[in-house]
C-alpha cells in the first residue's frame, strides 16, 4: 500500500574507517552525571541517574573535518553548550547488567547536548517536561562513530570544548558519576535498548552560553572531533 507521503529519511552517522553508516534509532541523555556540573547546576551528591530524550532527527551531523552550521534556535536567549561522550548501541537488550554492557556497545562519538537553558529552567520551576529546553531541532550535533575496539581507553579519555578558541569545558570521562556500563544497566532497566540507540552520557562542568557567530570545537581522546558554528 502506498504511503500518504514519503516516510522520513533515516538519520545516519558515518562510521570511522568503514564504508558503512550507523542508523540512529533513539537518543537517550543522562542528566547531571559529572559531580562538578551537578554542583554548578545547584545540586550535590550522587543521585540515581535520570534520563531524558531527544528526537532522533535532532541529530546535526558534524561532518568530519568540516565546521557545520547550527541555526540559533527560536524562543531562547540562553543557548548552552554541553560537550558529551556519546555511546552508540549495536546490540539491543533489556535489563543488561553492567558487567555485560560492553558487548552491547558498537562505538563512541563526540556530541553536544545543546540546551535552551532559559526554557529548561522555566520548565524545572514549573515541574514540567524538559522537551522544549532539550529536544529542539538541531539540538544534537554528533560526529562520526568510532568502533569501540579502536578506543580501548575511552573510560579515561580527556573531554573538552573550546568556543572561539578558548577552553570552556575540560575534564575526563573517568569523572562520570555513573560510568558507561552502569548507565546502560540503569537505562536498559527502563527501556529496551535497540541497535541504533545513542546515549549522551552527561556533560562536565563549564557549561555556558553561545551566540550567533560562535564556533564550538569539541573533542574526546581517540574520537573524531566536531566543529559547529552557531548561525
Ligand atoms: Mn547533557
Amino acid at each position: 500500500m502506498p504511503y500518504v507521503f514519503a516516510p522520513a529519511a533515516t538519520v545516519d552517522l558515518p562510521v570511522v574507517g568503514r564504508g558503512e553508516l550507523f542508523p540512529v534509532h533513539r537518543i537517550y541523555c543522562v542528566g547531571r552525571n559529572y559531580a562538578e556540573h551537578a554542583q554548578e547546576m545547584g545540586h550535590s551528591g550522587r543521585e540515581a541517574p535520570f534520563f531524558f530524550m531527544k528526537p532522533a532527527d535532532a541529530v546535526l551531523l558534524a561532518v568530519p573535518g568540516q565546521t557545520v552550521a547550527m541555526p540559533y534556535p527560536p524562543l531562547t536567549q540562553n543557548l548552552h553548550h554541553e560537550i558529551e561522550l556519546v555511546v552508540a548501541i549495536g546490540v539491543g537488550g533489556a535489563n543488561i547488567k553492567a558487567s555485560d554492557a560492553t558487548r552491547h556497545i558498537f562505538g563512541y562519538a563526540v556530541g553536544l547536548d545543546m540546551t535552551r537553558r532559559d526554557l529548561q529552567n522555566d520548565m524545572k520551576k514549573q515541574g514540567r517536561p524538559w522537551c522544549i529546553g532539550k529536544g529542539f531541532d538541531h539540538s544534537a550535533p554528533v560526529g562520526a562513530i568510532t568502533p569501540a575496539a579502536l578506543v580501548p581507553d575511552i573510560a579515561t579519555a580527556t573531554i573538552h570544548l573550546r568556543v572561539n578558541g578558548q577552553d570552556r569545558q575540560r575534564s575526563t570521562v573517568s569523572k562520570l558519576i555513573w560510568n558507561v556500563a552502569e548507565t546502560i544497566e540503569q537505562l536498559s532497566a527502563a527501556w529496551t535498548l535497540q541497535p541504533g540507540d545513542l546515549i549522551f552520557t552527561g556533560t562536565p562542568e563549564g557549561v555556558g552560553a553561545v551566540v550567533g557567530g560562535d564556533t564550538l570545537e569539541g573533542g574526546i581522546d581517540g574520537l573524531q572531533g566536531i566543529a559547529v558554528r552557531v548561525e
Side-chain angles (χ1 to χ4, degrees):
M1 206 178 292
Y3 290 107
V4 294
F5 48 79
T10 306
V11 176
D12 300 319
L13 293 172
V15 177
V16 174
R18 296 198 197 180
E20 292 177 305
L21 296 171
F22 180 94
V24 178
H25 179 245
R26 292 181 181 169
I27 304 175
Y28 296 99
C29 304
V30 187
R32 297 193 290 263
N33 202 17
Y34 287 83
E36 287 175 52
H37 172 62
Q39 284 163 17
E40 75 183 352
M41 301 305 287
H43 296 264
S44 62
R46 193 192 205 212
E47 59 188 335
F50 67 94
F51 305 102
F52 58 91
M53 296 174 79
K54 293 175 185 266
D57 65 357
V59 164
L60 173 67
L61 172 59
V63 182
Q66 294 184 21
T67 300
V68 299
M70 174 188 169
Y72 194 93
L75 301 180
T76 185
Q77 315 294 325
N78 197 15
L79 176 66
H80 271 208
H81 55 76
E82 296 190 359
I83 189 72
E84 306 202 2
L85 171 67
V86 178
V87 177
I89 296 294
V91 176
N95 299 310
I96 298 165
K97 291 292 159 218
S99 57
D100 195 35
T102 303
R103 73 174 193 88
H104 294 267
I105 299 171
F106 174 81
Y108 302 96
V110 178
L112 279 163
D113 167 15
M114 298 302 292
T115 301
R116 293 193 283 207
R117 192 73 73 200
D118 43 1
L119 299 184
Q120 183 200 22
N121 287 341
D122 285 350
M123 294 299 109
K124 279 186 188 174
K125 269 184 223 145
Q126 298 179 65
R128 290 180 176 173
W130 291 8
C131 307
I132 199 168
K134 288 290 196 178
F136 53 94
D137 296 342
H138 316 297
S139 61
V142 188
I145 296 175
T146 299
L150 301 182
V151 275
D153 298 329
I154 195 69
T156 55
T158 297
I159 178 170
H160 62 85
L161 179 77
R162 283 186 291 271
V163 178
N164 303 330
Q166 304 282 326
D167 254 22
R168 287 277 190 94
Q169 295 187 265
R170 183 169 291 275
S171 187
T172 74
V173 172
S174 62
K175 291 189 175 176
L176 281 171
I177 295 172
W178 299 95
N179 67 29
V180 168
E182 291 167 333
T183 296
I184 288 173
E185 176 171 312
Q186 301 261 1
L187 185 60
S188 69
W191 291 272
T192 299
L193 296 183
Q194 301 289 347
D197 287 341
L198 299 179
I199 307 169
F200 279 62
T201 55
T203 196
E205 67 277 13
V207 301
V210 288
V211 297
D214 285 348
T215 297
L216 295 75
E217 296 168 280
I220 297 174
D221 292 344
L223 304 182
Q224 287 208 336
I226 63 173
V228 175
R229 187 179 55 254
V230 181
E231 296 194 331

